[in-house]
Short mmCIF file of all heavy atoms in Angstrom, two decimals:
data_model
loop_
_atom_site.label_atom_id
_atom_site.label_comp_id
_atom_site.label_asym_id
_atom_site.label_seq_id
_atom_site.Cartn_x
_atom_site.Cartn_y
_atom_site.Cartn_z
N ARG B 465 278.58 70.85 117.35
CA ARG B 465 278.40 69.81 116.36
C ARG B 465 279.45 69.87 115.27
O ARG B 465 279.69 70.91 114.67
CB ARG B 465 277.01 69.94 115.73
CG ARG B 465 275.94 69.30 116.57
CD ARG B 465 275.78 67.80 116.30
NE ARG B 465 275.02 67.60 115.08
CZ ARG B 465 275.49 67.01 114.00
NH1 ARG B 465 276.72 66.55 113.99
NH2 ARG B 465 274.74 66.85 112.93
N ARG B 467 279.90 68.49 111.67
CA ARG B 467 278.95 67.96 110.68
C ARG B 467 279.65 67.45 109.43
O ARG B 467 280.63 68.02 108.97
CB ARG B 467 277.93 69.03 110.29
CG ARG B 467 277.03 69.44 111.44
CD ARG B 467 275.91 70.36 110.98
NE ARG B 467 275.13 70.81 112.15
CZ ARG B 467 275.45 71.87 112.88
NH1 ARG B 467 276.51 72.59 112.56
NH2 ARG B 467 274.71 72.19 113.91
N THR B 522 271.27 67.19 123.61
CA THR B 522 271.00 66.35 122.44
C THR B 522 271.57 67.05 121.21
O THR B 522 271.78 68.26 121.22
CB THR B 522 269.50 66.17 122.22
OG1 THR B 522 268.91 67.45 121.99
CG2 THR B 522 268.84 65.51 123.43
N TRP B 523 271.79 66.26 120.16
CA TRP B 523 272.25 66.86 118.91
C TRP B 523 271.26 67.92 118.43
O TRP B 523 271.62 68.95 117.92
CB TRP B 523 272.42 65.78 117.84
CG TRP B 523 273.68 64.99 117.97
CD1 TRP B 523 274.43 64.83 119.11
CD2 TRP B 523 274.36 64.30 116.93
NE1 TRP B 523 275.52 64.05 118.83
CE2 TRP B 523 275.51 63.70 117.50
CE3 TRP B 523 274.09 64.08 115.58
CZ2 TRP B 523 276.40 62.94 116.75
CZ3 TRP B 523 274.98 63.31 114.82
CH2 TRP B 523 276.12 62.75 115.42
N GLU B 524 269.98 67.60 118.66
CA GLU B 524 268.93 68.53 118.25
C GLU B 524 269.08 69.88 118.94
O GLU B 524 269.00 70.94 118.33
CB GLU B 524 267.58 67.90 118.61
CG GLU B 524 266.44 68.33 117.75
CD GLU B 524 265.18 67.53 118.11
OE1 GLU B 524 265.17 66.84 119.16
OE2 GLU B 524 264.23 67.60 117.33
N ARG B 525 269.32 69.82 120.25
CA ARG B 525 269.48 71.07 121.00
C ARG B 525 270.71 71.83 120.54
O ARG B 525 270.72 73.05 120.43
CB ARG B 525 269.63 70.76 122.50
CG ARG B 525 268.33 70.67 123.23
CD ARG B 525 268.55 70.59 124.72
NE ARG B 525 269.02 71.87 125.28
CZ ARG B 525 269.27 72.03 126.59
NH1 ARG B 525 269.10 71.04 127.42
NH2 ARG B 525 269.66 73.21 127.03
N ILE B 526 271.80 71.11 120.31
CA ILE B 526 273.01 71.78 119.85
C ILE B 526 272.73 72.48 118.53
O ILE B 526 273.10 73.64 118.33
CB ILE B 526 274.17 70.78 119.69
CG1 ILE B 526 274.48 70.10 121.02
CG2 ILE B 526 275.40 71.48 119.15
CD1 ILE B 526 275.48 68.96 120.90
N ASP B 527 272.06 71.76 117.63
CA ASP B 527 271.74 72.35 116.32
C ASP B 527 270.89 73.61 116.48
O ASP B 527 271.11 74.61 115.80
CB ASP B 527 271.00 71.33 115.45
CG ASP B 527 271.92 70.20 114.99
OD1 ASP B 527 273.15 70.38 115.09
OD2 ASP B 527 271.41 69.15 114.56
N ALA B 528 269.95 73.56 117.41
CA ALA B 528 269.04 74.69 117.57
C ALA B 528 269.73 75.88 118.25
O ALA B 528 269.49 77.04 117.88
CB ALA B 528 267.82 74.26 118.39
N ASP B 529 270.62 75.60 119.22
CA ASP B 529 271.18 76.69 120.04
C ASP B 529 272.62 77.06 119.68
O ASP B 529 273.19 77.96 120.28
CB ASP B 529 271.15 76.29 121.53
CG ASP B 529 269.75 76.01 122.02
OD1 ASP B 529 268.79 76.38 121.29
OD2 ASP B 529 269.59 75.42 123.10
N GLY B 530 273.21 76.34 118.74
CA GLY B 530 274.61 76.64 118.40
C GLY B 530 275.58 76.10 119.42
O GLY B 530 276.76 76.45 119.41
N GLY B 531 275.11 75.25 120.32
CA GLY B 531 276.00 74.66 121.33
C GLY B 531 275.35 74.71 122.70
O GLY B 531 274.49 75.56 122.96
#
Side-chain angles (χ1 to χ4, degrees):
Chain B
R465 277 275 281 117
R467 294 188 184 87
T522 61
W523 281 23
E524 207 174 12
R525 273 189 71 179
I526 299 172
D527 289 344
D529 300 346

